[in-house]
Each structure stands twice: as C-alpha cells, then as structure tokens.
C-alpha cells in the first residue's frame, strides 16, 4: 500500500520521480505528490487527489526543478483521499517534507502531545504527525535532520517506509524502514529510493535492501550510510537484480492484466526451467534438497497467506496431503497471527506471497520462527521481505505482476506447489513412481496446454458479453477445483465489482441453492475425473431449478456438454494440475466482463496490489 520513490543525483529529479510513481501505482492510486528542493534551496511540495496522470497535469507550470526529490502514490489508511491528506506532508514550518508508507499506531498520543506544544495539523494523517515530530525534535535538540529522524522513530510504534527532505539542503535525503518495503538503488554518484526495485530498474540494477529498524542517510557525493535506531552503523550488501524493462511495459496489450494472462505459458516455462528434467522427468527443487531432513521430519505443514495466494495454498494442501501424506492446514495469515496458534518445532510453515511484502504474512512468519518452526517461502518478488525472512524457499519466477488482480502469480504458485509436493513426496517415499512420472511429465506440457486454452480467448470474450449485466455469480468446484472456484469468483469481484461467491459444489445444497434462478449464472469447474459423477449431480440440481450453467470441462466430456448452457473445453491433464489451466477461462471471463462494464481493470477501485498494512 502506497508507493514511495526518491532521487538525488545530477539529473532533474521530477521526471524520474514521476516515472517511478507510474511504476508504483499498483501499490495505491488515490492521490499522489512530489517534494523537491530546487537550486535556491526552496522546498516545493505539489500533490493532488487522483492518479499520477492527474499529478502530472497539476505540475504543469509549477517549479519542478531540482536534482533531489521524493514522491508518493497513496492508498488511504488515515483520512479520505484528498489534496490535503495526499503526501508529501510539510512540517508546520514547511522546513521539512515527508512521505510515508505504513501506519503509525501511536499517532494519536503523539499528535495530542504535539498539539500541546503548539503544533497545528492540516491533514487527518498519521504521517503528518511523524513529520511534525521530526521537526519538533530537530528544534528542541538542535540536531541534524538524520538524528532528528532517528530520535523520532524511537518514539514511534508501527510500520513505515519514510523519506524526508529539508529546506535549504539539496544534498541529503533521510529514509527509514520498519515493516514496509524499501530499497536504495545505487547509480553513478546518484541514489534512488523505492518501495519496489522494479520501479527504478531503468536507472540501475544495483540495490541495497534496507532492513527493519534501519535509517539510510543519502548524501550527495558520499557513499551510502546506514545506521540503526541505536545510532550504530549497519552493514549492507549490494544485490544485483536481473530484470528487463520490457517486463514492466504493456507490450501492445490494452491492460497489464491481459498481458499477464497471455504471458502464462512463458512464465510457466520460467517457473519450471531447471526444476523438471525433460529427459528424466526428475523434479529437483534446491530448497527441498537443502532442507531434506526438515521435510522428512515434518509432522505438519501450515500454509500462511492472503488473497489469491491463499487460494493457491488450498491447492497446495491437496497436493501435499495426497502426495506426501503430511497433514496440512491452510491459514489466513491475518487470522493465524492473532489466534495464539499452536506451532511445534517439527512443523513446516510455508508462506505464500506474490509480493513478498504482505504485512500479515510477514507477521505470521515471525510468529512461526519464534516458535521454532522451519519457514519456507513461495514468493515471486526476488529479494522481497518474505523471501529474506524465511529460512529457505522457492521463487515462482513469473516476472513482475503489475495488474492488481493476480493471474500469473497464481498459476506459478500452484506449479511450484506441485513440484514441491513431488520433491517432498519422493524424499519421504510416499509417492508412487508412476504417479510421480505422470505429474512430472504433465508439468512439462503445462505451458503448451495453457496456450491451447488461451486460443479460446474470443469465445470467452463473447460469453462475457452475455453476462455483463448480471448482478451476482456463483462459482462451484470440488476437491482441487474448489480453490479454482474461489479464485474465479475473486477475479470477477475485484475487477468488475459484481458480487460473486465461490463454493464447494456439494455445499450449495446447504443454503446457497436458494439463490438459484434464471438470473444467476453458475460457473461450474467440472474438470475433475475423481468427482465427475458427483459434479454432474450438482449440475442437475441447478438445472432443475432453472439455473444457467457455464461449465469448464475436459475436452470430449459429452455428458456435461449436454447439460450445461455454455461450455469451455480445456485439455486433459492429471487432476493434480488441472487447476493451473482451469483458472485461465475464469481469468479471461472476469477480464472481459470488467472491460465491457468499463471498469479500470488494472487499477480497480479501493484495491492495492501489495497490502503492507494489517
Ligand atoms: C492483495 C492483492 C491480491 C493478493 C493479496 C496477497 O489483496 O490485491 O491480489 O492476492 O494481496 O498478496 P501477496 O503479495 O501476499 O500474494
């Protein structure tokens, strides 16, 4: 939530900041702003409600000069999205400007104390409180900005990634991090700051990830300095990131979401590359090999995740229970962390996250580590907080996902989970060799099968036209496909704002069947061989009540074809992997319904891609 970016060097800061904000807009897009110190030392803040395009418009004719600046794109937590609550915030004297991603939990107490000292506040934000606290301390202690920031942060409880500028000083930015992502990009005598390294990859591929409780002091013509909250120098490593700019562009597609849907055959190739041998069909996951004993000894596996990653985890539960015979629990990270969970040292906790920054998932990891569990990460963003805080893990390698509705991350996560289940099952001796080979061989053909499904794009687009005006949708699936039903419903909700419910097909008759009528489209994911007959019964129950069925079926399934009103046929694979291709028509259906409804597909209302607040 919220994206922050900063620059100091020889170039004009504003265009770099604006470009960075565009790349970070997936993190929030209700208001945006920049602060720059110009050559005369003036500290200019320009901000407005709306998207980064609106900010660009607003900046026309303003003094956008200066080679140092900070910028912010907001997802509101405290205070409505408007011009005043937008960042950067000035301190009362307008000598300091601050941007902030996160939440200051004790801001009320601090605000009251500052009001007592005579401070006035313009906004409703917790961020302005921190800005004024820094100013207050700077004046009281008569100290440097960096020291004032350090002392202020010692009084703060909460999560933050901040960057601070001061009037009259175009040679310094002070930045700090606690639980919200932040990295420093290193150029030739220039520094970049960002919530996400990908947003500044045009300028550098050398990054330093700032750790929790660290303050980065960026001074012109000086090396990067990082200290901790106790004022001790902190050591840091420079990480090289291999990312191409084309991965961050739409590449001719009207939306990132559509591009990302169509990228999936390629992203799966990247996900599987080097992990499943085309010659021997052996699955090699280094994270499992390196931690063989942990997985062999595991008495239980607990998945912790949120949103789409939670849906992928439900499929992971089936895969691991089926193939590794280890009991599995799937937890919403936000529930797990507050439930006083029972965790043993022989539990393996698997944290699943596209961004690797989701606050609740990160907190769940910390709880699991404290309890002595082995924590494994399944992440997409390389170098993200979750990737760094887990003991080991597997990247899904699907490249940057920019559309707010997750697509290629889901298929990458499920694919990694299938490989994980095969690798662990093999080590534990719980998997039959024929089953192992069948799944491994199907993994190798997954990308081409997915391409076949994507060829039905225009049929699905036509189908979507029929349902553009539906008010509700129901999605049903059994076994592995229950999670696909949930994911299909979530996609539709997120981007079209149509209410949709995903259910285990058999549960429908325990209540939701009351909703069935001609107005309610029911999407049935009916690809499972194991539950084929049962699913047919469910379809008949719906038909008997006048419901309209869109069925996702295996190619050649004539039985369901006769019953359903519309069918989308997808190629046959083993049941374990069907979710990876069964979700594709649902992604496309949601996409086209949203497009026909005129929705902002890549930036749906109220959402943000990376949820770094609780
Ligand atoms: C947000 C996003 C979802 C995502 C969820 C978990 O809600 O909008 O698409 O599934 O966060 O994010 P993560 O990065 O941890 O997978």
């Amino acid at each position: 939530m919220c994206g922050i970016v900063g620059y100091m060097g020889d170039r004009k800061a504003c265009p770099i900041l604006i470009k960075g904000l565009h790349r970070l807009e997936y993190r929030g897009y209700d208001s945006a702003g920049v602060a720059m110190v110009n050559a005369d030392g003036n500290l200019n803040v320009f901000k407005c409600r709306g998207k980064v395009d609106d900010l660009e418009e607003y900046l026309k004719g303003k003094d956008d000069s200066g080679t140092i600046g900070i910028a912010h794109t907001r997802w509101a937590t405290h205070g409505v999205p408007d011009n005043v609550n937008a960042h950067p915030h000035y301190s009362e004297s307008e000598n300091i400007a601050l941007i902030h991603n996160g939440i200051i939990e004790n801001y009320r107490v601090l605000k009251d104390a500052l009001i007592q000292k005579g401070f006035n506040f313009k906004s409703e934000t917790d961020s302005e409180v921190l800005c004024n606290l820094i100013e207050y301390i700077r004046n009281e202690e008569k100290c440097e900005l960096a020291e004032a920031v350090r002392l202020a942060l010692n009084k703060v409880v909460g999560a933050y990634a901040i960057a601070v500028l001061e009037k009259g000083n175009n040679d310094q930015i002070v930045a700090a991090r606690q639980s919200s992502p932040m990295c420093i990009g290193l150029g030739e005598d220039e520094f970049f700051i960002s919530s996400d390294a990908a947003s500044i990859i045009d300028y550098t591929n050398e990054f330093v990830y700032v750790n929790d409780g660290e303050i980065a002091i960026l001074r012109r013509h000086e090396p990067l300095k990082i200290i901790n909250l106790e004022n001790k120098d902190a050591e840091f490593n420079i990480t090289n990131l291999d990312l191409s700019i084309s991965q961050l562009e739409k590449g001719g597609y009207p939306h990132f979401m559509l591009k990302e849907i169509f990228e999936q055959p390629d992203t799966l190739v990247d996900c599987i590359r080097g992990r499943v041998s085309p010659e021997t069909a052996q699955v090699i996951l280094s994270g499992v090999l390196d931690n063989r004993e942990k997985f062999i000894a595991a008495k239980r596996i607990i998945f912790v995740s949120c949103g789409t990653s939670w849906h992928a985890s439900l499929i992971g539960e089936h895969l691991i229970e089926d193939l590794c015979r280890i009991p599995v629990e799937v937890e919403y990270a936000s529930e797990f962390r507050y439930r006083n969970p029972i965790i043993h040292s022989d539990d393996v906790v698997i944290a699943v996250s596209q961004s690797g920054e989701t606050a609740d998932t990160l907190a769940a990891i910390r709880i699991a580590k404290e309890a002595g569990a082995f924590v494994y990460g399944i992440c997409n963003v390389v170098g993200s907080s979750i990737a760094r805080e887990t003991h080991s893990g597997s990247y899904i390698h699907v490249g940057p996902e920019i559309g707010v509705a997750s697509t290629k991350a889901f298929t990458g996560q499920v694919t990694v989970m299938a490989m994980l289940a095969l690798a662990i099952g093999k080590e534990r001796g719980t998997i039959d060799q024929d089953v192992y080979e069948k799944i491994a061989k199907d993994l190798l053909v997954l990308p081409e099968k997915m391409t076949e499904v994507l060829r039905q794009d225009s049929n699905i687009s036509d189908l979507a036209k029929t349902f553009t005006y539906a008010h509700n949708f129901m999605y049903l699936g059994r076994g592995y496909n229950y999670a696909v039903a949930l994911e299909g419903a979530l996609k539709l909700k997120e981007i079209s704002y149509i209410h949709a419910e995903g259910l285990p097909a058999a549960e429908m008759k325990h209540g939701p069947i009351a909703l069935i009528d001609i107005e309610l489209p029911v999407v049935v994911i009916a690809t499972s061989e194991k539950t084929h007959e049962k699913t047919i019964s469910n379809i008949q129950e719906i038909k008997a009540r006048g419901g309209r069925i869109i069925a996702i079926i295996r190619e050649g399934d004539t039985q369901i074809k006769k019953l359903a009103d519309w069918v989308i046929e997808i190629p046959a694979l083993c049941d374990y992997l069907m979710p990876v291709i069964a979700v594709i028509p649902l992604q496309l259906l949601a996409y086209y319904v949203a497009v026909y409804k005129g929705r902002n597909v890549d930036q749906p209302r109220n959402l943000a891609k990376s949820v770094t607040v609780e």
Side-chain angles (χ1 to χ4, degrees):
M1 338 244 56
C2 303
I4 67 167
V5 57
Y7 174 75
M8 181 170 62
D10 292 335
R11 308 184 228 195
K12 188 176 175 188
C14 194
I16 296 172
L17 298 174
I18 294 292
K19 190 166 189 178
L21 286 186
H22 274 298
R23 292 260 169 82
L24 290 174
E25 232 175 349
Y26 71 85
R27 302 180 63 83
Y29 34 79
D30 57 44
S31 53
V34 285
M36 292 153 298
V37 181
N38 71 11
D40 300 328
N42 294 328
L43 175 59
N44 294 317
V45 169
F46 304 113
K47 55 184 185 172
C48 63
R49 187 191 170 145
K51 299 201 189 306
V52 180
D53 282 344
D54 300 302
L55 176 66
E56 279 189 272
E57 198 54 39
Y58 179 69
L59 276 168
K60 283 185 182 154
K62 308 269 190 323
D63 175 8
D64 64 353
S65 64
T67 56
I68 177 169
I70 55 178
H72 188 269
T73 178
R74 181 168 186 246
W75 186 88
T77 56
H78 292 72
V80 294
D82 64 13
N83 296 346
V84 178
N85 289 330
H87 298 216
H89 290 284
Y90 270 131
S91 61
E92 171 133 348
S93 68
E94 301 197 349
N95 283 336
I96 293 174
L98 170 141
I99 51 173
H100 170 218
N101 167 29
I103 291 180
I104 307 299
E105 286 168 16
N106 60 337
Y107 83 102
R108 278 180 207 284
V109 184
L110 295 171
K111 190 171 183 173
D112 289 346
L114 287 165
I115 291 170
Q116 295 283 315
K117 303 278 178 201
F119 277 82
N120 295 296
F121 288 86
K122 298 181 198 75
S123 78
E124 300 159 73
T125 66
D126 50 341
S127 314
E128 190 187 6
V129 175
L130 179 54
C131 191
N132 275 330
L133 180 64
I134 294 169
E135 172 153 299
Y136 172 71
I137 292 174
R138 187 152 167 37
N139 294 341
E140 284 295 297
E141 303 291 325
K142 304 199 174 12
C143 59
E144 288 257 316
L145 179 68
E147 178 62 358
V149 170
R150 187 184 76 79
L151 294 173
L153 292 179
N154 272 293
K155 298 192 181 308
V156 153
V157 178
Y160 51 79
I162 58 164
V164 189
L165 279 182
E166 64 180 339
K167 189 175 172 176
N169 188 351
N170 54 17
D171 291 331
Q172 177 179 263
I173 305 177
V174 180
R177 167 197 162 130
Q178 177 66 47
S179 304
S180 295
M182 169 178 281
C183 65
I184 311 288
L186 306 176
E188 291 236 338
D189 209 18
E190 59 185 353
F191 292 112
F192 303 84
I193 303 171
S194 183
S195 306
D196 175 356
S199 72
I200 45 177
I201 199 76
D202 306 57
Y203 312 105
T204 181
N205 61 2
E206 290 193 348
F207 296 94
V208 172
Y209 290 97
V210 181
N211 293 312
D212 281 350
E214 289 183 349
I215 301 168
I217 303 166
L218 282 51
R219 291 200 177 114
R220 208 179 280 275
H221 310 310
E222 285 183 27
L224 174 65
K225 182 177 169 70
I226 299 188
I227 58 168
N228 62 22
L229 292 176
E230 287 77 48
N231 208 7
K232 302 246 163 38
D233 282 342
E235 287 183 12
F236 55 84
N237 298 318
I238 298 174
T239 305
N240 276 290
L241 205 61
D242 182 18
L243 202 66
S244 80
I245 295 167
S246 66
Q247 289 178 291
L248 306 170
E249 311 285 344
K250 284 190 201 149
Y253 285 92
H255 297 102
F256 279 111
M257 182 177 176
L258 192 63
K259 177 193 174 217
E260 287 159 7
I261 291 173
F262 272 87
E263 260 174 9
Q264 290 176 101
D266 294 333
T267 56
L268 282 194
V269 170
D270 292 340
C271 177
I272 294 164
R273 182 175 293 126
R275 290 167 163 177
V276 185
S277 158
E279 290 79 34
T280 61
Q282 286 301 301
V283 176
I284 295 166
L285 269 193
S286 56
V288 174
L289 288 181
D290 296 347
N291 301 286
R292 213 174 152 262
E293 285 70 34
K294 298 277 182 202
F295 285 106
I296 289 176
K299 293 276 182 308
R300 181 173 62 154
I301 286 185
I302 307 170
F303 281 95
V304 288
S305 41
C306 306
T308 289
S309 299
W310 187 81
H311 296 158
S313 304
L314 290 177
I315 298 172
E317 175 182 28
H318 278 268
L319 284 162
I320 289 181
E321 290 199 339
D322 271 359
L323 304 174
C324 314
R325 308 307 296 152
I326 307 173
V328 177
E329 286 170 25
V330 182
E331 300 270 3
Y332 286 115
S334 55
E335 291 294 317
F336 178 80
R337 61 181 292 196
Y338 288 115
R339 212 194 48 231
N340 193 11
I342 299 162
I343 309 164
H344 303 293
S345 55
D346 48 14
D347 285 334
V348 172
V349 171
I350 303 184
V352 186
S353 174
Q354 186 286 127
S355 63
E357 300 294 347
T358 303
D360 285 321
T361 311
L362 208 43
I365 289 172
R366 290 173 187 157
I367 290 168
K369 279 169 81 177
E370 258 168 47
F374 174 68
V375 184
Y376 199 83
I378 297 180
C379 290
N380 187 32
V381 178
V382 176
S384 56
S385 302
I386 293 176
R388 286 180 292 133
E389 288 204 24
T390 42
H391 293 118
S392 180
S394 303
Y395 283 116
I396 61 172
H397 291 310
V398 300
E401 190 181 65
I402 295 170
V404 166
S406 184
T407 52
K408 61 179 180 171
F410 177 80
T411 50
Q413 288 164 343
V414 177
T415 304
V416 163
M417 286 171 192
M419 293 189 285
L420 192 68
L422 290 179
I424 301 172
K426 179 105 179 187
E427 294 298 339
R428 291 172 65 98
T430 49
I431 184 164
D432 184 89
Q433 186 58 25
D434 293 344
V435 176
Y436 180 96
E437 278 175 24
K438 169 81 182 122
I439 303 173
K441 284 183 181 152
D442 275 4
L443 275 168
L444 290 166
V445 297
L446 255 183
E448 74 195 57
K449 300 289 176 193
M450 198 174 253
T451 305
E452 287 176 38
V453 183
L454 287 166
R455 286 202 194 105
Q456 304 196 46
D457 172 57
S458 66
N459 294 342
I460 298 170
S461 162
D462 289 345
L463 186 62
K465 280 187 195 135
T466 315
F467 296 108
T468 303
Y469 298 102
H471 294 294
N472 298 286
F473 264 75
M474 191 184 282
Y475 287 72
L476 302 177
R478 279 171 170 263
Y480 284 86
N481 284 332
Y482 164 47
V484 179
L486 289 173
E487 179 58 9
L490 180 66
K491 288 300 86 120
L492 191 76
K493 276 184 271 204
E494 284 179 310
I495 58 170
S496 73
Y497 319 146
I498 294 175
H499 169 251
E501 220 177 312
L503 294 163
E507 269 301 300
M508 180 199 56
K509 55 180 152 320
H510 298 292
I513 198 164
L515 299 170
I516 304 286
D517 65 14
I518 195 159
E519 303 268 304
L520 181 81
V522 183
V523 180
V524 185
I525 302 102
T527 60
S528 166
E529 283 182 313
K530 196 172 158 194
T531 55
H532 189 245
E533 291 307 316
K534 302 281 173 208
T535 308
I536 289 178
S537 308
N538 297 136
I539 291 176
Q540 268 159 340
E541 288 155 11
I542 298 165
K543 291 299 294 176
R545 287 156 183 88
R548 292 187 301 165
I549 307 270
I550 304 161
I552 316 294
I553 59 169
R554 281 176 184 255
E555 246 162 22
D557 181 345
T558 47
Q559 269 180 295
I560 297 187
K561 213 168 178 176
K562 276 189 213 139
L563 289 172
D565 299 273
W566 295 270
V567 292
I568 300 166
E569 291 188 67
I570 63 172
L573 289 166
C574 56
D575 270 4
Y576 304 96
L577 297 179
M578 282 311 270
V580 182
I581 55 171
V583 76
I584 304 291
L586 309 188
Q587 295 172 347
L588 286 169
L589 183 67
Y591 172 79
Y592 284 113
V593 169
V595 168
Y596 296 135
K597 288 184 87 71
R599 306 300 193 212
N600 185 339
V601 172
D602 284 334
Q603 295 175 346
R605 71 183 181 203
N606 306 340
L607 296 182
K609 184 144 190 76
S610 181
V611 181
T612 54
V613 294
E614 290 179 30

